[in-house]
Every structure is written in C-alpha cells, then in structure tokens.
Coordinates of all heavy atoms in Angstrom, one line a residue:
M155 N 0.8 -1.2 0.0 CA 0.0 0.0 0.0 C 0.9 1.2 0.0 O 1.8 1.3 0.8 CB -0.9 0.0 1.2 CG -1.6 1.3 1.5 SD -2.7 1.3 2.9 CE -4.2 1.2 2.0
N156 N 0.6 2.2 -0.9 CA 1.3 3.4 -0.9 C 0.6 4.5 0.0 O -0.6 4.7 -0.2 CB 1.3 4.0 -2.4 CG 2.6 3.8 -3.0 OD1 3.6 3.4 -2.4 ND2 2.6 3.9 -4.3
L157 N 1.3 5.1 0.9 CA 0.8 6.1 1.7 C 1.4 7.4 1.4 O 2.4 7.8 1.9 CB 1.1 5.7 3.2 CG 0.5 4.4 3.7 CD1 0.9 4.1 5.1 CD2 -1.0 4.4 3.5
N158 N 0.8 8.1 0.4 CA 1.4 9.3 -0.2 C 0.9 10.5 0.4 O 1.6 11.6 0.3 CB 1.2 9.3 -1.7 CG 1.9 8.1 -2.4 OD1 3.0 7.8 -2.0 ND2 1.3 7.6 -3.4
T159 N -0.2 10.5 1.0 CA -0.8 11.8 1.6 C -1.1 11.6 3.0 O -1.2 10.4 3.5 CB -2.1 12.2 0.8 OG1 -3.1 11.2 1.1 CG2 -1.9 12.3 -0.7
I160 N -1.2 12.6 3.7 CA -1.5 12.6 5.2 C -2.9 11.9 5.3 O -3.1 11.2 6.3 CB -1.5 14.0 5.8 CG1 -1.6 13.9 7.3 CG2 -2.5 14.9 5.3 CD1 -0.4 13.3 8.0
G161 N -3.8 12.1 4.4 CA -5.1 11.5 4.5 C -5.1 10.0 4.4 O -5.8 9.3 5.1
E162 N -4.2 9.5 3.5 CA -4.1 8.1 3.4 C -3.4 7.5 4.6 O -3.8 6.4 5.0 CB -3.2 7.7 2.1 CG -3.9 8.0 0.8 CD -2.9 7.9 -0.4 OE1 -1.7 8.1 -0.2 OE2 -3.4 7.7 -1.5
I163 N -2.5 8.2 5.2 CA -1.8 7.7 6.4 C -2.8 7.7 7.6 O -2.9 6.7 8.3 CB -0.6 8.6 6.8 CG1 0.5 8.4 5.7 CG2 -0.1 8.3 8.1 CD1 1.6 9.5 5.7
L164 N -3.6 8.8 7.7 CA -4.6 8.8 8.8 C -5.6 7.7 8.6 O -5.9 7.0 9.6 CB -5.4 10.1 8.7 CG -4.6 11.4 9.2 CD1 -5.4 12.6 8.9 CD2 -4.4 11.3 10.7
R165 N -6.1 7.4 7.4 CA -7.1 6.3 7.2 C -6.4 5.0 7.5 O -7.1 4.1 8.2 CB -7.6 6.3 5.8 CG -8.5 5.1 5.6 CD -9.2 5.1 4.2 NE -10.3 6.0 4.3 CZ -10.8 6.6 3.3 NH1 -10.3 6.5 2.1 NH2 -11.9 7.4 3.4
F166 N -5.2 4.8 7.1 CA -4.5 3.5 7.3 C -4.5 3.2 8.8 O -4.8 2.1 9.2 CB -3.1 3.5 6.6 CG -2.3 2.3 6.9 CD1 -2.5 1.1 6.2 CD2 -1.4 2.3 7.9 CE1 -1.8 0.0 6.5 CE2 -0.6 1.1 8.2 CZ -0.9 0.0 7.5
Y167 N -3.9 4.1 9.6 CA -3.8 3.8 11.0 C -5.1 3.8 11.7 O -5.3 3.1 12.7 CB -2.8 4.8 11.6 CG -1.4 4.4 11.3 CD1 -0.7 5.1 10.3 CD2 -0.8 3.3 11.9 CE1 0.6 4.7 9.9 CE2 0.5 2.9 11.5 CZ 1.2 3.6 10.6 OH 2.5 3.3 10.2
R168 N -6.1 4.6 11.3 CA -7.4 4.6 11.9 C -8.0 3.2 11.8 O -8.5 2.6 12.7 CB -8.3 5.7 11.3 CG -9.7 5.7 11.9 CD -10.5 6.8 11.4 NE -10.7 6.7 9.9 CZ -11.6 5.9 9.4 NH1 -12.3 5.1 10.1 NH2 -11.8 5.9 8.1
E169 N -7.9 2.7 10.5 CA -8.5 1.4 10.3 C -7.7 0.3 10.9 O -8.3 -0.7 11.4 CB -8.7 1.2 8.8 CG -9.7 2.1 8.2 CD -9.8 2.0 6.6 OE1 -9.0 1.4 6.0 OE2 -10.8 2.5 6.1
K170 N -6.4 0.4 10.9 CA -5.5 -0.6 11.5 C -5.9 -0.8 13.0 O -5.9 -1.9 13.5 CB -4.1 -0.2 11.4 CG -3.1 -1.2 12.0 CD -1.7 -0.7 11.8 CE -0.7 -1.7 12.5 NZ 0.7 -1.3 12.3
Y171 N -6.1 0.3 13.7 CA -6.4 0.2 15.1 C -7.9 0.2 15.4 O -8.3 0.4 16.6 CB -5.7 1.3 15.9 CG -4.2 1.1 15.8 CD1 -3.4 1.9 15.0 CD2 -3.6 0.1 16.6 CE1 -2.0 1.7 15.0 CE2 -2.2 -0.1 16.6 CZ -1.5 0.7 15.7 OH -0.1 0.4 15.7
D172 N -8.7 0.1 14.4 CA -10.2 -0.1 14.5 C -10.8 1.1 15.2 O -11.7 0.9 16.0 CB -10.5 -1.4 15.2 CG -11.9 -1.9 14.9 OD1 -12.5 -1.6 13.8 OD2 -12.5 -2.5 15.8
F173 N -10.4 2.3 14.8 CA -11.1 3.5 15.3 C -12.1 4.0 14.3 O -11.9 3.9 13.1 CB -10.1 4.6 15.5 CG -9.2 4.5 16.7 CD1 -7.8 4.2 16.5 CD2 -9.7 4.5 18.0 CE1 -7.0 4.1 17.6 CE2 -8.8 4.4 19.1 CZ -7.5 4.2 18.9
K174 N -13.2 4.5 14.8 CA -14.2 5.2 14.0 C -13.7 6.6 13.7 O -12.9 7.2 14.5 CB -15.5 5.2 14.7 CG -16.1 3.9 14.9 CD -17.5 4.0 15.5 CE -17.2 4.1 17.0 NZ -18.5 4.1 17.8
Q175 N -14.2 7.3 12.7 CA -13.8 8.7 12.4 C -14.2 9.5 13.6 O -13.4 10.4 13.9 CB -14.5 9.2 11.1 CG -13.9 8.6 9.9 CD -14.6 9.1 8.7 OE1 -15.8 9.4 8.6 NE2 -13.8 9.3 7.6
S176 N -15.3 9.3 14.2 CA -15.7 10.1 15.4 C -14.7 10.0 16.5 O -14.5 10.9 17.3 CB -17.1 9.7 15.8 OG -17.1 8.4 16.2
D177 N -14.1 8.8 16.7 CA -13.0 8.6 17.7 C -11.8 9.5 17.5 O -11.3 10.1 18.4 CB -12.6 7.2 17.8 CG -13.7 6.2 18.2 OD1 -14.6 6.6 19.0 OD2 -13.7 5.1 17.8
V178 N -11.4 9.5 16.2 CA -10.2 10.2 15.8 C -10.3 11.7 15.9 O -9.5 12.5 16.3 CB -9.7 9.8 14.4 CG1 -8.5 10.6 13.9 CG2 -9.4 8.3 14.4
C179 N -11.5 12.2 15.4 CA -11.6 13.7 15.3 C -12.3 14.3 16.5 O -12.5 15.6 16.5 CB -12.4 14.0 14.0 SG -14.0 13.5 14.0
N180 N -12.6 13.6 17.5 CA -13.3 14.1 18.7 C -12.5 15.3 19.3 O -11.4 15.2 19.8 CB -13.4 13.0 19.8 CG -14.3 13.5 20.9 OD1 -15.0 14.4 20.8 ND2 -14.1 12.8 22.0
G181 N -13.1 16.5 19.2 CA -12.5 17.7 19.7 C -11.5 18.4 18.9 O -10.9 19.4 19.2
I182 N -11.2 17.8 17.7 CA -10.2 18.3 16.8 C -10.8 19.0 15.6 O -10.5 20.1 15.2 CB -9.2 17.3 16.4 CG1 -8.5 16.7 17.6 CG2 -8.2 17.8 15.3 CD1 -7.6 15.5 17.3
C183 N -11.7 18.2 14.9 CA -12.4 18.7 13.7 C -13.7 17.9 13.6 O -14.0 17.0 14.4 CB -11.5 18.5 12.5 SG -11.2 16.8 12.1
S184 N -14.5 18.2 12.6 CA -15.7 17.5 12.4 C -15.5 16.2 11.6 O -14.4 16.0 11.0 CB -16.7 18.4 11.6 OG -16.3 18.5 10.3
I185 N -16.4 15.3 11.7 CA -16.3 14.0 11.0 C -16.2 14.3 9.5 O -15.4 13.6 8.8 CB -17.5 13.1 11.4 CG1 -17.4 12.7 12.8 CG2 -17.4 11.8 10.5 CD1 -18.6 12.0 13.3
S186 N -17.0 15.2 9.0 CA -17.0 15.5 7.6 C -15.6 16.0 7.1 O -15.2 15.7 6.0 CB -18.1 16.4 7.2 OG -18.0 17.6 7.8
T187 N -15.0 16.8 8.0 CA -13.7 17.4 7.6 C -12.7 16.3 7.6 O -11.9 16.2 6.6 CB -13.2 18.4 8.6 OG1 -14.2 19.5 8.6 CG2 -11.8 18.9 8.4
L188 N -12.7 15.3 8.5 CA -11.8 14.2 8.5 C -12.0 13.3 7.3 O -11.0 12.9 6.6 CB -11.9 13.4 9.8 CG -11.0 12.1 9.9 CD1 -9.5 12.5 9.8 CD2 -11.3 11.3 11.1
S189 N -13.2 13.1 6.9 CA -13.6 12.3 5.8 C -13.0 13.0 4.5 O -12.4 12.3 3.7 CB -15.1 12.2 5.6 OG -15.4 11.5 4.5
R190 N -13.1 14.3 4.4 CA -12.6 15.0 3.2 C -11.1 14.9 3.2 O -10.5 14.7 2.1 CB -13.1 16.4 3.2 CG -14.5 16.6 2.8 CD -14.9 18.0 2.5 NE -14.8 18.9 3.7 CZ -15.7 19.2 4.5 NH1 -16.9 18.7 4.4 NH2 -15.5 20.0 5.6
I191 N -10.4 15.0 4.3 CA -9.0 14.9 4.4 C -8.5 13.5 3.9 O -7.6 13.3 3.1 CB -8.4 15.2 5.8 CG1 -8.6 16.7 6.1 CG2 -7.0 14.8 5.9 CD1 -8.4 17.0 7.6
E192 N -9.2 12.5 4.5 CA -8.9 11.1 4.1 C -9.1 10.8 2.6 O -8.3 10.0 2.1 CB -9.7 10.1 5.0 CG -9.3 10.0 6.4 CD -10.1 9.0 7.2 OE1 -11.1 8.4 6.7 OE2 -9.7 8.7 8.3
N193 N -10.1 11.4 2.0 CA -10.3 11.2 0.6 C -9.6 12.1 -0.3 O -9.7 12.0 -1.5 CB -11.8 11.3 0.4 CG -12.6 10.2 1.0 OD1 -12.3 9.1 0.8 ND2 -13.7 10.5 1.7
G194 N -8.8 13.0 0.3 CA -8.0 13.9 -0.6 C -8.7 15.1 -1.1 O -8.2 15.7 -2.0
N195 N -9.9 15.4 -0.5 CA -10.7 16.5 -1.0 C -10.6 17.7 -0.2 O -11.3 18.7 -0.4 CB -12.2 16.0 -1.1 CG -12.4 14.9 -2.0 OD1 -11.8 14.8 -3.0 ND2 -13.3 14.0 -1.6
K196 N -9.7 17.8 0.7 CA -9.6 18.9 1.6 C -8.1 19.2 1.9 O -7.4 18.3 2.3 CB -10.3 18.6 2.9 CG -10.2 19.6 4.0 CD -11.2 20.7 3.8 CE -11.2 21.7 5.0 NZ -11.9 22.9 4.7
Q197 N -7.7 20.4 1.7 CA -6.4 20.9 2.1 C -6.5 21.4 3.5 O -7.5 22.0 3.9 CB -5.9 22.0 1.2 CG -5.6 21.5 -0.2 CD -5.0 22.7 -1.0 OE1 -5.2 23.8 -0.8 NE2 -4.2 22.3 -2.0
F198 N -5.5 21.2 4.2 CA -5.5 21.8 5.6 C -4.1 22.2 5.9 O -3.1 21.9 5.3 CB -6.0 20.7 6.6 CG -5.1 19.6 6.8 CD1 -4.2 19.5 7.8 CD2 -5.1 18.5 5.9 CE1 -3.3 18.5 8.0 CE2 -4.3 17.4 6.1 CZ -3.4 17.4 7.1
Y199 N -4.0 23.0 6.9 CA -2.8 23.6 7.3 C -2.6 23.4 8.8 O -3.5 23.4 9.6 CB -2.7 25.1 7.1 CG -3.0 25.4 5.6 CD1 -4.2 25.7 5.1 CD2 -1.9 25.4 4.7 CE1 -4.5 25.9 3.8 CE2 -2.1 25.6 3.4 CZ -3.4 25.9 2.9 OH -3.6 26.1 1.6
M200 N -1.3 23.1 9.2 CA -1.0 22.8 10.6 C -0.3 24.0 11.1 O 0.6 24.5 10.4 CB -0.2 21.6 10.7 CG -0.9 20.3 10.3 SD 0.1 18.8 10.4 CE 0.2 18.7 12.2
Y201 N -0.7 24.5 12.2 CA 0.0 25.7 12.8 C 0.7 25.2 14.1 O 0.1 24.5 14.9 CB -1.0 26.8 13.2 CG -1.7 27.3 11.9 CD1 -2.9 26.9 11.5 CD2 -1.0 28.3 11.2 CE1 -3.5 27.4 10.4 CE2 -1.6 28.8 10.1 CZ -2.9 28.4 9.7 OH -3.4 28.9 8.5
Y202 N 1.9 25.6 14.3 CA 2.7 25.3 15.5 C 2.8 26.5 16.3 O 3.2 27.5 15.8 CB 4.0 24.7 15.1 CG 3.9 23.4 14.3 CD1 4.0 23.4 13.0 CD2 3.8 22.2 15.0 CE1 3.9 22.2 12.3 CE2 3.7 21.0 14.3 CZ 3.7 21.0 12.9 OH 3.6 19.8 12.3
K203 N 2.6 26.3 17.6 CA 2.8 27.4 18.5 C 4.1 27.2 19.2 O 4.3 26.2 19.9 CB 1.6 27.5 19.5 CG 1.7 28.6 20.4 CD 0.4 28.7 21.3 CE 0.5 29.8 22.3 NZ -0.7 29.8 23.1
N204 N 5.0 28.2 19.2 CA 6.3 28.1 19.8 C 6.2 28.5 21.3 O 5.5 29.3 21.7 CB 7.3 28.9 19.1 CG 7.6 28.3 17.8 OD1 7.5 27.1 17.6 ND2 8.0 29.1 16.8

C-alpha cells in the first residue's frame, strides 16, 4: 500500500487500530472534515505554537 498523503496515512492507521472517524476527530475537527482529508478532497494547514 502506498501512503502518499496525510489523508491516506490517517485512514490506514485509523482502520488498523479499528477506530471510527468520530473517535479520531473528537474535539479536533468535524467528521466530515476528517472524511474529506482522508479522501484527498480537503487541504488543511497545521500551525505550530512556539
């Protein structure tokens, strides 16, 4: 399996450890946002606070 995008990586490990989308995104983003990220339909940006 090729894991080329962050969405593919997220889905791979979510399914590997038998998590539902609601488990992964609880308090972080909506289920629909996570779904779009996993499917490659959503760009997102990560911000780091120093």
Side-chain angles (χ1 to χ4, degrees):
M155 167 178 255
N156 259 345
L157 300 176
N158 296 321
T159 67
I160 190 71
E162 291 171 335
I163 294 167
L164 286 170
R165 174 177 279 154
F166 174 80
Y167 283 104
R168 179 178 61 76
E169 291 176 348
K170 178 179 179 177
Y171 292 105
D172 200 31
F173 286 112
K174 295 181 276 184
Q175 286 181 326
S176 59
D177 297 327
V178 174
C179 65
N180 188 19
I182 299 170
C183 65
S184 67
I185 295 171
S186 60
T187 298
L188 179 60
S189 178
R190 287 191 296 267
I191 292 169
E192 287 184 350
N193 290 312
N195 298 325
K196 175 83 174 167
Q197 290 183 335
F198 67 97
Y199 303 94
M200 296 178 70
Y201 296 97
Y202 296 97
K203 185 176 179 181
N204 291 330

